[in-house]
Amino acid sequence: MTKLRLAIVGAGPAGIYAADILLKAERKFDVSIDLFEQLPAPYGLVRYGVAPDHPRIKGIITALRDVLDRGDIRLFGNVRFGEDITLEDLKKHYNAVIFATGAIRDTSLEIPGIDAVASYGAADYVSWFDGHPDVPREWPLDAASVGVLGNGNVALDVARMLAKHAEDLLVTEVPANVYEGLQASEITDVHVFGRRGPAQVKFTPLELRELGELRDVDMVVYDEDFDYDDAAKDAVASNKQVMVIDRILQSWRKRDSVNNAGGTASRRLHLHFWAKPVEVRKDESGRVAALVYERTQPDGQGGAVGTGELREVPLQALYRAIGYFGSPLPGVPFDKKHGVIPNREGQVLAKDSNDRVPGIYATGWIKRGPVGLIGHTKSDAMETVRHIINDQGSWWHPEDPSEESIVELLQERGVRWTDLDGWHRLDEHEIALGAPDERARVKVVPRDEMVRVSRGE
């Protein structure tokens, strides 16, 4: 019986779901899957992209854990594609590869002054507060007034993690260095800017409602933003999610803190709608001093058009949360404009000719861009897997497809990889760190410590 030796690069939800779907699929050949992950621990953005005060979403890890714990997928963590292992290596030992590397960089914003000191990408801040091993241990929180650009869930995550008091995170898995950094924060005001109106936001009601539940944080919204046109009224009337969001925002309008009138909290979280970023003003040292935005208005079809009126909000730091962007992989075609691997239903295409590249596939955000949630990731993986099964005639013919060969290769190169047993050791270690304070876990941050614990050294 023919056997498919498959490599999957990326052990987040996209990669793990692709492995699971292929193993359960109807096919006329055996399958052996090796999952490669550049970090010492699996689960990708579920571990390193979800705020520590969102344990519900981290429940996804339970489903992913069940897949890995079946024991029919090998995990090689702490292995960097392009450094520790190359595309040529994969061709020598596998019949095909799926890239499931996600999108972890921030989309750029081309406005004057965006390069100012204290102008950050949200992804870097998220990586910091989630204890990503490859970002600095410290984060400057020395600004009193901070801006966040974007009206999606990431923008709300960032705003919440800027405004929230550090001690309220002690029940979570927040790493010690992050707790200490947030405890020293000088923030008093967080301003969130969206270029469209309250009825066109991209965040979910749950995320929005959580903002209003923050202890010692006043919500500030502005009456002028709620002059709805017919398109907005129709959206509120016809879409349940928009209706709930509107209800939450309208309830905040009735609070004493609205429009800065009589709030008593030590911190304030302002939501500015109809605000299109135009320029970041710098002070004499090159640091963020203010955000200039153009006031927009409804275009009658659910969008926004500029009014020409410019406004300025003094700030000392700015975070852009306007979307994630994929990163190129050595030897793999890449679409620089869209931040994805060019593909047709997951079959990778040559960059210039649009011809299929045999043996190479993509799934998840590196396939379609950073949109959609877990449901999309599963259907995405099904599409890609269907093609791998049907493409048997164009699989690679590896020189040495034995399962031992890749272990020997990594050993020869001195790669200190981590495996599934190693993840269990790290998992148990983190849970033990949290136990004395009745916390679910305390995340280990330094890469070398993660590897040492995982390898039992």
Side-chain angles (χ1 to χ4, degrees), residues 138-264:
E138 297 177 352
W139 189 272
L141 291 165
D142 54 349
S145 192
V146 179
V148 179
L149 305 180
N151 260 178
N153 281 345
V154 175
L156 292 196
D157 255 8
V158 168
R160 193 180 68 255
M161 287 295 291
L162 288 166
K164 195 166 190 169
H165 293 278
E167 53 268 31
D168 294 336
L169 288 164
L170 278 178
V171 294
T172 75
E173 61 183 47
V174 65
N177 66 299
V178 176
Y179 170 71
E180 287 159 15
L182 292 170
Q183 200 176 27
S185 170
E186 296 180 20
I187 287 173
T188 59
D189 290 84
V190 178
H191 297 265
V192 181
F193 300 91
R195 59 188 177 83
R196 296 195 294 175
Q200 289 86 37
V201 294
K202 296 292 185 187
F203 35 72
T204 51
L206 182 63
E207 295 271 348
L208 184 64
R209 188 178 287 115
E210 284 178 337
L211 283 188
E213 294 167 355
L214 295 179
R215 182 185 64 81
D216 192 33
V217 178
D218 278 334
M219 295 304 302
V220 183
V221 292
Y222 298 88
D223 286 338
E224 63 176 344
D225 291 340
F226 292 87
D227 187 12
Y228 287 173
D229 67 346
D230 289 340
K233 289 173 184 172
D234 289 345
V236 171
S238 62
N239 184 308
K240 188 176 180 185
Q241 181 160 306
V242 178
M243 180 182 70
V244 175
I245 286 170
D246 178 63
R247 191 180 297 149
I248 295 166
L249 292 170
Q250 297 291 355
S251 74
W252 293 347
R253 290 179 71 187
K254 299 184 179 82
R255 292 187 182 182
D256 289 342
S257 57
V258 172
N259 300 327
N260 290 320
T264 56

Side-chain angles (χ1 to χ4, degrees), residues 89-159:
D89 295 327
L90 297 181
K91 287 180 179 178
K92 285 178 188 169
H93 300 291
Y94 297 91
N95 300 105
V97 58
I98 300 176
F99 288 100
T101 50
I104 56 169
R105 286 188 299 151
D106 285 284
T107 298
S108 58
L109 178 65
E110 303 299 327
I111 61 172
I114 198 68
D115 60 345
V117 177
S119 172
Y120 308 109
D124 293 333
Y125 180 59
V126 172
S127 292
W128 174 75
F129 68 56
D130 266 328
H132 194 293
D134 298 339
V135 300
R137 299 284 170 273
E138 297 177 352
W139 189 272
L141 291 165
D142 54 349
S145 192
V146 179
V148 179
L149 305 180
N151 260 178
N153 281 345
V154 175
L156 292 196
D157 255 8
V158 168

